[in-house]
C-alpha cells in the first residue's frame, strides 16, 4: 500500500502564490509518475501536471507558464508551485502516484482563490 499526504492548500487572493506538497510513504519502490489533479464543484477531476521518474513534465494548457511541478531527489515527494493564481484555479487538488499497475490518490487539499 502507498499513502499520499498532501499539504499547502489554503485561501489566497488572485495573483498570489501557493506551494502544494505531497509525500508518499509505504510500498513506494518504483513510483513511475506522480502528479496533481484538481476537481472543482460540479466538475470532473482534471489533470493539472505530471512528472515522471525521469523528471519529464506535462501540464494542462490552463496552467502552463504559471504552475511548476517538481520532485525531490528521492522521487517520493512531489511539489506544485502555483503562481499568478486565478479564481478559476479554485478546486480540491489531489496528489496522484502511479506504480504499475495501480493509481494511488491523496485525500485532497482545498485551494481557494478569491477575486
Amino acid at each position: 500500500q502507498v499513502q499520499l499526504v498532501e499539504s499547502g492548500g489554503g485561501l489566497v487572493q488572485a495573483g498570489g502564490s501557493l506551494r502544494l506538497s505531497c509525500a508518499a510513504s509505504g510500498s513506494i519502490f518504483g513510483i513511475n509518475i506522480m502528479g496533481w489533479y484538481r476537481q472543482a464543484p460540479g466538475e470532473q477531476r482534471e489533470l493539472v501536471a505530471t512528472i515522471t521518474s525521469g523528471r519529464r513534465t506535462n501540464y494542462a494548457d490552463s496552467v502552463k507558464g504559471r504552475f511548476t511541478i517538481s520532485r525531490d531527489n528521492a522521487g517520493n515527494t512531489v511539489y506544485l508551485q502555483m503562481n499568478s493564481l486565478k479564481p478559476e484555479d479554485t478546486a480540491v487538488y489531489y496528489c496522484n502516484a502511479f506504480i504499475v499497475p495501480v493509481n494511488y490518490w491523496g485525500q485532497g487539499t482545498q485551494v481557494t482563490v478569491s477575486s
Side-chain angles (χ1 to χ4, degrees):
Q1 278 288 356
V2 174
Q3 295 79 43
L4 301 174
V5 179
E6 300 124 332
S7 60
L11 172 65
V12 65
Q13 288 189 329
S17 298
L18 283 174
R19 189 188 194 214
L20 306 182
S21 299
C22 172
S25 62
S27 302
I28 58 177
F29 178 77
I31 296 179
N32 185 3
I33 301 172
M34 296 190 77
W36 292 94
Y37 291 71
R38 67 187 182 187
Q39 188 167 17
E43 302 289 335
Q44 289 190 332
R45 190 172 297 188
E46 64 176 5
L47 179 144
V48 176
T50 60
I51 184 167
T52 70
S53 56
R55 304 305 190 266
R56 179 178 297 179
T57 59
N58 179 52
Y59 295 93
D61 287 344
S62 60
V63 307
K64 282 180 181 176
R66 300 188 298 122
F67 291 10
T68 303
I69 191 170
S70 61
R71 278 168 84 165
D72 68 346
N73 288 338
N76 301 327
T77 301
V78 64
Y79 306 95
L80 186 68
Q81 178 66 42
M82 304 185 293
N83 298 328
S84 302
L85 282 160
K86 304 175 181 180
E88 50 264 44
D89 294 318
T90 295
V92 177
Y93 284 69
Y94 295 92
C95 178
N96 172 269
F98 179 63
I99 305 174
V100 178
V102 181
N103 263 313
Y104 295 92
W105 296 94
Q107 80 283 357
T109 185
Q110 177 70 46
V111 171
T112 303
V113 184
S114 64
S115 58

